[in-house]
Amino acid sequence: MTAWPPWDRAVAPADLARYVQRGAVPRLLPAELARDLPGPGEPDLLARVRRAYEVFARRGIAYVDEPTTSGPAGQVVRPLDQVLATPRQGTCLDLAVAFAGACLDAGLHPLIVIADSARRGRPAHAVVVVWLGGGWAGRPAAGYPLTGAVHDRPPADLVGDVRAGPDAPGSFVAVDVARAAVRRDRAGQSRAGQPEAGHGAPAGPATWAEAVAAGAALLAGAPANDLAATPATGLAAGLAAAAGPGWRWAVAVDVGVAYDEGRVLPLLAWPDHDILSPGYLDAEPDAGPLAQVQARRNVVPFYGRDELDVLLEWCQAPDPESRVRVAIVHGVGGAGKTHLAAELCDWLAADGWYAGFLERDPDPAHLAWLGEIVQPLLVVVDYAEANKSADVTNLLRAVRGRTTPTCLLLTARAIGPWWTNDIEADLRRAAHQPVVRPLPLPAAHPRATGVFRAALRAFGGEPGARPEPVAWDWTTLDLVMLAWLAARGADDLPQRREDLYREVLAHELRYWGDRCDRRYRWRPTEAVLRSSGACVSLRGPVPDRVMEALKAVPGSARTAAASWPSCCPTCCRPIPATTPSPSAPTPLVTILSCGSSTASGWCSPSACGTPRPASSSGPAGPCPAPPSRTGR
Amino acid sequence: MQQDRLRHLIVIVPGIGGSVLEDETGGVVWGTRRGIAGSVASPSRLSLAERLTPVGLIPTITVVPGFFAVAGYDALVWQICTTFAGSGGGPVQVDVARPGVPPHLGADVVLFPYDFRLGVADAAARLGEELERRLGGLTADARRGRVIVLAHSMGGLVARHWLGGLGGAGRRAAEDCAALVTIGTPHRGAPKALDWLVNGVRVGPLTLGRATELLREWPSAYELLPRYPAVADGASTWLYPHDLARVGHPEFARRAGEAYKLHQDIEAAWRPGGSGHRLPPVLPLFARGHRTLGRAELTGSELSEPKLAVRKEDAEWLPNPGWRGDGTVPAISAIPIELDDDRRVWRAVAERHLPMAGSPALIEILRDYSGASLAAVRGDTPERPWLGVDLEEQYLAGQPVPVTVDLLGAAASPRTAVWVRVRPAGTLRWMDHRCERAGTGWTAELPPLATGEYEVRVDAEGVPEVGRVTMSPDVFAVVEP
C-alpha cells in the first residue's frame, strides 16, 4: 500500500509532520535536478531555500485542485513519489509537504502554514515558512524563537518577521511552493497567467521572487491576533490597515519541532518510470511519413467528434459507489480510436487526472501502485485485443478498491474472445462488476472534409490550392495520409486504399533509404528495406525482440534493419503500444503475399513468435486488398 | 522530538539593574512584573537607606524610565525550557531564589535576583547562602559539580567573588560549581561607568540628575569602574580611576579605590593557587566590533577646570586596539585577567551587551555540558560574520536617531544591503530603514520618533558566502527632553 491516511487538521494537526520525508526528494528527482538541491553545508540559508524552490520549479509538477476524497475525514496527502516522480501532480499541501522534506534535508527549519480563504467556499492554501536565523539538525537550533509543534494562532515572532520579498529583511521567508507547479493545460501545454481569483493557486512556475512575495502576501492577510491589541501607534495601525483581507490563519505545523523520525509514514517503492505515457507524445522533427500521421504524435490536431464528449461526460459523471468504469472503443483500423483515446487523456490530464496509455506487460507491483494513486485515473489500453488480456485483468484487480474515479479505456478492432473469454470471465470469477460501456467508432469520420483540410493545414498545405480526395469509404487515417500526400505536392490523389498505402509506403521506404544513406553512406535496395521494415513492424515495440528476429534476416537486410532500432518509428520511441498500427502490417503482408525470395524462410516461430496482428485481432486492417470490417 | 535532560542546576545571576526590587510593603520599586510596558522606578526609594527585597529578574530588555537600559532574562529561561527537559524528564522546573521563601528543591533553573545597589560582596554572600539552602541536603558526591552559573554583566563579578572563596564561602563553592559562564562581564571594568559617575547619566546633551545621584550612592556602580589605568592625562601618563583627584565628586576617588581593592581581591583568588583550591572553569562570553566607550582622557588647560572626555574609541595604550566591545563593555575587559592567554575558553559572540544575556551561544554551552553537542565554538571571534552596531540606550524625542553599522568577519559586496529595523516595543511589525554606505560601514538616520521604548534590530542581506547577518534585538528609548 502506498496510500496514506488522510490528514485531519482539526483532530491531529501535528500529524502533518508525519507525511514529511527526509532523504526521499533526491531519490525521486532525476540526477540533473537532484545534484542542484541544496545541502546543509551551504552557509547562506536563504540561498538554500531558493535552490530547493528552483529545483521544484524545474520539475514540471502539475498543480491539481484538492482531490475529491478530501472531505470531513481529512485532507488526502499524496505520497512524495506521486508529487515528484510520477505522475508529478500535487495540491498546495502536497507540494508544501514535499518541500518541507527538502528543507529538512538541507538543514533548514520549515513550518507549514495553512490559511483559509476569507471567502466562503474557497479552498485553503498552504505555504512553507523557513526560519533564516539558524539551521536544523534534527531539532531546532539554539535561538529558534517559536515553541510548540502547532500554532493555532499566528505567532507574533513569525508573522511580524516574514520578509516581504527575497531581498527584504526578515528572519522568516514564506514560500508559496505551489507556485513551483504548473497548471497543465491541454495538449501538454502549461498555462501561464494570473492565479485564480480568490485562491493562491498557481499558474507558474513562478519565479523565486514571485513565490516569496506570494507567501508574504498570504501571511500579511493573516494578521496576528496580538496586532489588534497593540497600542494604536501610527506604525501598528498602518500595518493593520495594510493587511490584506484574503486569508485567515488556520494553523501552522512546525515541522522542525514536530518531526519525529520514528513516526514518519512509510514511503514504499514507486515505479522507476511512468507506466502511463501521456496521450500525446513529443513532436518528432524530421519524422518520416508514417510517424507524422501517427495519432499520438499530434501533428494533426484532433478533429472534434461526438464520441469525445460522450466519453468525457461518462468518465466524469458522479458515482457514489465509486465503481470502476471500462469503455471499449472498437472500430476498424484507422477509424481514429487511438486519437480519440489520446485526446481524452489530454482533456482529463488537464483536469488533474492521471491519464495515459498503459505500457505493455506492466509489472504487477506497478499496477498495485497505480491502484493507490490519489487522483482520478484514466488508463488506456490500446490494441487491447493484441495479447493484452492479462494486462487488463491484472489492472482491473489492482484498481477495484479505488475510491477516486477510475476509468479504463480499451481500444480494439472488435469486441471478441479477448474480452468475452478472458477478461469478462475473470471479472466473473473475481465477482468484480465494473461499469462497462462499449462504444463503436464508425470507420468514416462524420466530417471527412473537415478532417482532410485540417490535416492538410497541419502538414503545411493550403486547402483549396491542393486536390481533394474523391468521395469514397476513407477512414480517418486514410484522410490524414491523403492530406500528407496532398501537402507533399501530389497532383492526383489515390482513389483506392491499396494505392494510397502503396504510395505512402513508397515515401516511407524512400525516407528510410535516405536516412540509411546519410548515416552509413549506403543505400539499401527496396527489397531489403521492405524485408527489414516488415520485421521491425512485426516485433516493433521491444527492441531486443527486434534484434532477435533480425537474426533470421538475410545479411544485407539485417544490416539495413540493424540501424532501425535507433531510428525507426516503431521500435525505439517510448510508445508502448504501436503494434499493430494500421499501417504496420503493410510491409509484412506485402512481402509475404509477394512471396519475396528475400523474406522466404526467415520468419521462423522460434525467432519471431506468432505474428500478433494476424492471430489475435481478426481482420488486419488496410492490407493490399481491403478486408471486410467489423463494427460497420 | 527528543530533548536532552539538564544534568546541572542552572543558576542565572543578572547584571546591574536586572533584578526586580520590592519595598517592605510589596510595592515594586525597580523593574516590573508585566513585561516591558509598565516598568517602574521610584527614584526616591532607590536610595541605600531603603531596605529592598529582590523578588525576580527583569523579563525583557527594558529602559527604566529616567535611568538606563537593563537586560532581560526571559529569553534565556525560555530557550532553556524549550531546548531541554528537566533532570526528572519532565518540563524544566524554574524557581526564583527569594530571601525568606523556601526553595523548590526540584528546580532545574534558579533565578538569583539580588539587590544590585549594594555591590558585589553583598550579592556574593547571598548567593552562597542561597546555594547552600538548595544543595545542603545532598551528599558530597551529588553536589560536586552540580551547579552551572550563567552570570550576566555585573553578575559575573558576583559569581567570581563567591567562587573565589571570598566572604567565607571557602572551598565548597568551587566544588559545587561545574562551570561559570560570564556574559559580557566587565572583569576589568567599563569606561562607561567612569563616564556616568564622573560626568553623569546622559541622554544626548541632557544629564539625568536623579539617576546620576543614585548611581554615585551605590557601591556597585564603582565596582564597574575600570580597574586599569584607563585615563590618559597628557601624552604619556595614564591614571587609574582612583587617581582622579580633580574630576568627579569629592568621594569619587576614595570609593573608586575601594572598588579597585575588590577587583584585586577577586583576581588574587583566581590567580593559580590563589584561593588554595581548584576553581571551576570560566567561559567568558564577549563581543567585539560594536562601538563602545573605551577611551578616557583628561582635557583642559592648567588654568581651566579639567574635564574627563570618554569616547567610543579604543585606547591606544591598551591591548587589542580595534576590538571595540559589546556597546557597553570593551572586549578586552570581558576576559578575566588569568585567562589573558588562554583563548581556548574565550567565546566571542555577536550580540551587544544587553541581548547577550539571551545569546544562543549559552544554549550551545549548556548542550555541551549535557553531552549533546560539540557545536560550541571557542575563540576570539564569532564563528560567523556579525554586525558591529553603534546605538545609544536613549534618544531625545524630536531628534533623528543615527545608527552606524559595521560588517565584521566578512567582506561586503555591492549586493550587500543593511537594514535597521525598529518597532515600538510590544508591537508586531518592523519599520525598515535601509542604510546608506558610509566608508567601510553603513549609516542610517531614523526620523524623529515618538517617545517610548523601541526594539531595534539590524539585518545585513546579500553578504557573500553567508547571505544574511543579523544583530539580535536590542532596545532603546526615546524620551522627552
Side-chain angles (χ1 to χ4, degrees), chain A residues 297 512 540-541 543 563-575:
Chain A
R297 291 291 169 195
W512 288 108
S563 67
W564 286 38
S566 64
C567 56
C568 85
T570 53
C571 64
C572 60
R573 307 274 151 63
I575 306 174

Side-chain angles (χ1 to χ4, degrees), chain A residues 33-67:
Chain A
L33 283 182
R35 68 169 172 243
D36 287 347
L37 285 168
E42 185 171 334
D44 185 343
L45 272 62
L46 184 68
R48 286 190 222 168
V49 189
R50 176 181 184 148
R51 284 179 61 183
Y53 174 82
E54 289 177 344
V55 165
F56 271 56
R58 285 161 58 200
R59 185 55 179 141
I61 302 164
Y63 183 86
V64 290
D65 291 321
E66 195 169 34

Side-chain angles (χ1 to χ4, degrees), chain A residues 150-167:
Chain A
V150 175
H151 300 279
D152 293 324
R153 296 178 173 196
D157 283 335
L158 186 155
V159 180
D161 205 8
V162 172
R163 47 180 63 205
D167 298 325

